[in-house]
């Protein structure tokens, strides 16, 4: 087994990695640290961990992820997503660790209407997206042995996410107004975690920028309908346009990522987003805190 350090492990992706490791009987084999245990903006504490663990691979799941709040908390989002990433990248360089940094479809402006390739130039349209893109740049500038993995529309049984919000609204029998003019491809954090564990343990994580999502595309409206249908719930879901639901942060109208390069390079068997959703909705954990 490799010495793998996971930072920011208390979030959706970190919890999903923990779940996948348990399922595979690898519990306690990887070193998982939540923000409480180590803050990625704390260089001294992080250095101590690197010094003790001498990790071969470091996965950074830690991030400021609240897209809307980031517009108001600009310096905090920058501190975590850019300065924190730089600290981790420098330590990876110093200790010869392979740095796997998680990024987002929100680095793109959404003006395309075919899936974004890794060669497309980012042009973020909100502060969260800007900090994630700047985080990619500092990772590239400071760590030679690097993989940037962009994912989109993450959901899981843990933390706050779109799937759980829709289920909760349906249970409370509230009417839902959901935008139909923002197109993306959701992926479960479990699917991403499985891919991370598979490729890290088989030593086949490619270096460079990669996009990892499911197959197919959807609007948030159609995604919401499928969540409710597969959950066996009933709800009145009203399709609306983005301008009818004003937010501080602009969202890309189209942020589908092409997973072609990841599939070709790692041999991944991606599935349709509906199948991924079906699998996650069958997990007992999904229904524990609704
Ligand atoms: N969620 C999405 O839809 C989405 C879409 C595309 C890309 N991504 C990217 O995917 C990655 C994982 O996202 P996620 O959905 O798992 O996010 P999440 O559930 O919000 O988890 C993020 C984790 O980072 C931790 N964190 C925040 N500041 C930190 C710091 N200074 N030091 C250490 N840890 C810190 C948080 O700690 P607390 O537990 O204390 O809050 C939380 O546990 C992120 O890079 C995100 O940008 C997410």
């Amino acid at each position: 087994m490799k010495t793998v350090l996971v930072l920011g492990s208390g979030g959706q992706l970190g919890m999903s990695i923990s779940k996948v490791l348990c399922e595979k009987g690898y519990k306690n084999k990887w070193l998982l640290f939540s923000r409480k245990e180590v803050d990625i903006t704390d260089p001294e504490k992080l250095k101590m961990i690197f010094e003790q663990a001498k990790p071969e691979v470091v996965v950074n799941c830690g991030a400021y992820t609240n897209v809307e709040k980031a517009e108001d908390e600009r310096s905090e989002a920058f501190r975590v997503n850019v300065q924190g990433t730089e600290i981790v990248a420098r330590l990876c360089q110093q200790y010869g660790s392979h740095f796997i940094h998680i990024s987002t479809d929100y680095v793109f402006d959404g003006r395309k209407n075919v899936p974004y390739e890794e060669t497309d130039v980012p042009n973020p349209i909100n502060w969260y997206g800007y900090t994630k893109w700047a985080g990619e740049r500092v990772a590239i500038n400071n760590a030679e042995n690097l993989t940037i993995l962009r994912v989109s529309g993450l959901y899981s049984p843990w933390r706050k996410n779109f799937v759980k919000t829709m289920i909760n609204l349906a249970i409370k029998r509230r009417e839902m107004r959901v935008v139909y003019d923002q197109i993306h491809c959701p992926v479960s954090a479990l699917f991403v975690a499985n891919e991370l564990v598979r490729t890290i343990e088989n030593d086949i994580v490619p270096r460079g920028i990669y996009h990892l999502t499911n197959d197919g595309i959807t609007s948030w409206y159609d995604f919401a309908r499928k969540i409710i249908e597969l959950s066996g719930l009933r709800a009145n879901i009203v399709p609306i346009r983005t301008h009818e639901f004003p937010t501080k942060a602009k969202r890309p109208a189209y942020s589908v990522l092409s997973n072609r390069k990841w599939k070709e390079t790692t041999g991944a068997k991606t599935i349709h987003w509906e199948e991924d959703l079906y699998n996650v909705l069958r997990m007992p954990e999904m229904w524990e805190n609704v």
Side-chain angles (χ1 to χ4, degrees):
M1 298 251 354
K2 295 199 157 284
T3 315
V4 185
L5 177 63
V6 179
L7 300 169
S9 69
Q12 295 198 77
L13 184 54
M15 298 286 288
S16 301
I17 290 173
S18 179
K19 169 86 180 169
V20 170
L21 290 173
C22 276
E23 282 172 354
K24 295 200 181 298
Y26 296 164
K27 195 170 183 269
N28 302 329
K29 296 274 166 56
W30 288 18
L31 304 164
L32 274 62
F33 288 90
S34 68
R35 189 223 297 246
K36 275 193 192 131
E37 289 153 336
V38 63
D39 191 307
I40 59 167
T41 63
D42 179 347
E44 278 79 36
K45 183 89 184 277
L46 261 186
K47 192 174 165 61
M48 267 172 48
I49 288 167
F50 271 76
E51 190 54 41
Q52 276 169 15
K54 306 264 182 340
E56 292 163 85
V57 181
V58 175
V59 184
N60 182 27
C61 306
Y64 182 107
T65 56
N66 191 321
V67 178
E68 197 59 12
K69 259 190 170 173
E71 297 298 318
D72 293 325
E73 298 181 353
R74 289 188 167 220
S75 55
E76 179 58 11
F78 190 89
R79 198 175 70 83
V80 178
N81 292 348
V82 187
Q83 293 169 346
T85 304
E86 181 169 1
I87 291 166
V88 180
R90 281 175 185 255
L91 283 166
C92 287
Q93 181 70 7
Q94 192 181 336
Y95 284 84
S97 318
H98 177 184
F99 183 24
I100 303 177
H101 180 61
I102 311 299
S103 193
T104 173
D105 53 332
Y106 275 20
V107 297
F108 294 116
D109 61 19
R111 295 208 184 126
K112 273 185 90 174
N113 54 16
V114 291
Y116 279 93
E117 304 284 345
E118 289 80 352
T119 45
D120 284 316
V121 179
N123 181 30
I125 57 171
N126 58 45
W127 187 251
Y128 164 76
Y130 171 73
T131 62
K132 291 297 291 183
W133 174 71
E136 292 185 2
R137 299 309 310 163
V138 295
I140 290 166
N141 291 337
N142 289 283
E144 282 163 309
N145 191 359
L146 172 71
T147 302
I148 290 173
L149 198 58
R150 294 187 187 132
V151 300
S152 67
L154 279 190
Y155 62 90
S156 72
W158 303 285
R159 310 274 296 207
K160 200 167 174 252
N161 58 63
F162 185 77
V163 175
K164 289 178 70 180
T165 303
M166 290 302 113
I167 289 172
N168 277 314
L169 287 172
I171 288 170
K172 288 176 190 149
R173 295 181 174 271
R174 300 249 172 87
E175 180 182 277
M176 301 171 211
R177 298 166 73 239
V178 185
V179 293
Y180 70 83
D181 54 359
Q182 287 172 31
I183 308 297
H184 73 302
C185 180
V187 64
S188 75
L190 272 308
F191 188 85
V192 175
N194 263 300
E195 281 299 286
L196 283 168
V197 173
R198 177 184 75 87
T199 52
I200 291 172
E201 285 305 333
N202 289 308
D203 210 1
I204 54 167
V205 185
R207 273 57 172 178
I209 299 177
Y210 284 83
H211 293 169
L212 175 56
T213 56
N214 289 142
D215 299 331
I217 66 172
T218 185
S219 69
W220 291 104
Y221 169 72
D222 286 310
F223 187 30
R225 281 176 51 125
K226 193 49 79 176
I227 293 164
I228 300 308
E229 179 197 318
L230 292 179
S231 302
L233 296 165
R234 289 172 66 126
N236 184 21
I237 311 176
V238 182
I240 58 166
R241 299 191 66 165
T242 295
H243 71 80
E244 294 174 78
F245 189 73
T247 54
K248 273 197 172 166
K250 279 194 201 165
R251 265 75 172 177
Y254 181 97
S255 64
V256 180
L257 301 174
S258 164
N259 58 18
R260 185 185 49 82
K261 189 180 166 198
W262 179 260
K263 283 200 285 195
E264 283 176 5
T265 316
T266 72
K269 290 184 177 47
T270 52
I271 53 176
H272 194 273
W273 66 264
E274 288 185 20
E275 189 182 345
D276 193 17
L277 175 64
Y278 177 79
N279 293 338
V280 175
L281 288 173
R282 284 192 328 174
M283 291 174 67
E285 293 94 327
M286 195 71 209
W287 299 93
E288 272 164 16
N289 296 313
V290 293

